[in-house]
Amino acid sequence: MKIRLKIKYDLLKDYIVPISIFLAALLIYYLGIFNKLMFPNPFSIIKQFFVLMISKEMYSEIFLTLNRVILGTIISILIGVPFGLVLGYFTKLYDMFEFIIDFSRSIPATALFPLFMLFFGIGNTSKIMLGAWIATLVIIVNTSYGVRHANKVYLKMAKVYKTSKMYILLHIVFPGALPNIFSGLRIGVSLVLIVVIVTEMFIGSVDGLGQSILNAQLTYNIPKMYALIIITGMLGYLLNILFLTLERRIIHWTENNNKNNNDDKNNEDDDNNNKN
Amino acid sequence: MTFLTVSELNKEYPNVHVLDKICFEIQRGEFVSVFGPNGCGKTTLLNILSGMDNSYTGSVKFTDNSIRKAFIFQNSNDSILPWKNVLDNLRLDNQNIDESRIKDVLDELKLSNFKNRFPYQLSGGMKQLLAIARSFVFECDIIFLDEPFSSLDYNMAQTVREKFLGLWQKDKPTIFFVSHDIKETILLSDKIILLSKRPAKIKKIIEIELPRPRDSTILTSKKFLEYEKMILYEVENENKIED
């Protein structure tokens, strides 16, 4: 009996909280605590969600938003990683840039959108560039941190064996900073998503998920608005999972990313066998 | 043939006098160990000789200026790149390395079956062997080792030591070895430099005339125990003077 309960618990534990929240939402709806216009029937939101998914009417909007997020992220990687590596490696350069980077990072990205519109217009480019801007700063900070806090003895070793500067940068400094680069990437991509969704809501924007959410609200199609918010959340969640999977694939050597660490015992046995 | 001459070597940090007029010579191919109490400046001496520390007075002269140095750190995790497999860790960026040389060294250390593994798939002892293997692959003229076996358990350390001796026996690079393990020091060395407490002076230089090749059976031989007694006596003596 206990065992059966345990199995059920393992299966259910991931769903207990979401299901409870859904039930609570149902309760709130039927008790009429909030205005039913603001807080529609949870079932109608789910229905709306499936309608959107099946009718494919939102696919082009999802694609447009995703496209902006991905382009913004790629640009930020291309600029942020090399710049971060160099700044982390040359500490004097880092000292010179530290203030301006921290200051730029402190400006809420959306405050810069009017400025970006002046430069890049109201179309795609300004949204992509603003997303890239904020993600680049985050990636620079994380990458240079990873470089500065990398194992210094590797550098000593490289010096002893007289390896080239290029080898040190690409084969010692860069892989050493990869864990930090990836955490920068994951923060960066979620920031790009935020910036893209917000800027899609600006006057002058005509497409994208942000615009669709705003339209649903303006036309009082509130279940649709909720359904779109859920879709946006799924997008962010999937992007995060994508980067986590990439990270595990690429950085196979750190403790939590490889399953082989518990093989250590076997290796010691191998070692002893070798002796004979 | 003299390989390295150290004379009147002094090292001072702002508040501590670490090395005091150290003078000795090392012959080519000699296995030299430094033995002394913790914190006496063994590692400082090693850093100076290996060229990592240049702030000292006195002179450190290698007869030949074009020698290749290698350095084995206390903890193998510090010199083995975790993102490179065994072969790439041995090669580093050396494109024209002799592949047969790599094979010989790996065979000698019985690591051939592991050449495509990553460091996290190796035991601590194997990682330290890998660090040692690299210095032999690069055909270094002198290898500096800083208590390389101190993080391994007794059996593993013994195995690694013997494999290291086997490899050294073959092309006899000069070795400068730092240790605080008396038995290990006697087992491995041709010459032991005994250092005093800080500021470190050379207390005695002992030539170890045990036959080679050596293995752990020598640990219980009469001569070995005599050397051990002699060194212990020196250490005890110093402690008494302090009391």
Side-chain angles (χ1 to χ4, degrees), chain A residues 60-109:
Chain A
S60 62
E61 308 300 319
I62 296 175
F63 175 77
L64 278 168
T65 300
L66 196 59
N67 191 33
R68 287 169 186 148
V69 173
I70 289 172
L71 279 174
T73 310
I74 289 174
I75 293 171
S76 65
I77 293 171
L78 291 180
I79 301 172
V81 173
F83 208 58
L85 285 177
V86 172
L87 282 191
Y89 193 65
F90 301 101
T91 32
K92 278 187 184 142
L93 215 55
Y94 178 83
D95 291 340
M96 285 165 64
F97 277 89
E98 188 182 14
F99 169 73
I100 198 68
I101 289 175
D102 279 340
F103 182 76
S104 309
R105 223 156 45 101
S106 310
I107 303 171

Side-chain angles (χ1 to χ4, degrees), chain A residues 151 153-154 156-157 160-161 163-164 167 171-172 175-176 252-253 258 260-261 264 267-268 271 274-275, chain B residues 52 69-70 73 77-80 82-84 92-93 110 114 117-118 120-122 126 135 156 159:
Chain A
N151 191 340
V153 192
Y154 293 152
K156 251 186 179 179
M157 185 275 288
V160 169
Y161 288 104
T163 60
S164 66
Y167 185 84
H171 294 263
I172 297 179
H252 54 87
W253 59 84
N258 71 68
N260 294 312
N261 265 358
D264 257 13
N267 285 325
E268 265 161 47
D271 229 28
N274 277 340
K275 203 162 46 167
Chain B
M52 286 198 239
K69 299 171 188 170
F73 299 92
N77 288 333
D78 288 338
S79 57
I80 299 300
W83 44 84
K84 293 206 174 284
L92 296 178
D93 69 339
K110 308 222 163 48
F114 302 95
R117 295 236 193 149
F118 284 92
Y120 57 80
Q121 298 165 314
L122 304 176
M126 290 163 99
S135 59
M156 183 68 80
T159 318

